Amino acid sequence: MIAFPDARHAHDWWDSPAYQDIAPLRSRHIDSDIVIVEGVAEGYDSRDTAQAMREQLG
């Protein structure tokens, strides 16, 4: 999980040339989901949400 001050900063990171240069390294070697969520409570564990989403997608 990566924290950003707000969704705009997360999108700026995602769209940045620096991240786009390395994104294929990640996507070629692991299955992953990227979800941007604002206002996540302290101690939130994204693994539970990710697993529930994977189960819904089949």
Side-chain angles (χ1 to χ4, degrees):
M1 181 184 296
I2 302 172
F4 294 94
D6 54 41
R8 182 183 58 80
H9 281 89
H11 285 280
D12 289 348
W13 163 76
W14 177 263
D15 294 332
S16 71
Y19 179 73
Q20 292 303 309
D21 283 348
I22 64 168
L25 298 173
R26 180 189 50 78
S27 63
R28 276 187 260 152
H29 299 286
I30 62 170
D31 290 330
S32 63
D33 300 302
I34 295 178
V35 179
I36 296 174
V37 179
E38 289 192 81
V40 175
E42 190 70 32
Y44 172 76
D45 190 338
S46 63
R47 293 174 291 188
D48 297 332
T49 301
Q51 182 60 39
M53 292 173 77
R54 285 187 196 97
E55 290 170 2
Q56 290 294 317
L57 294 172

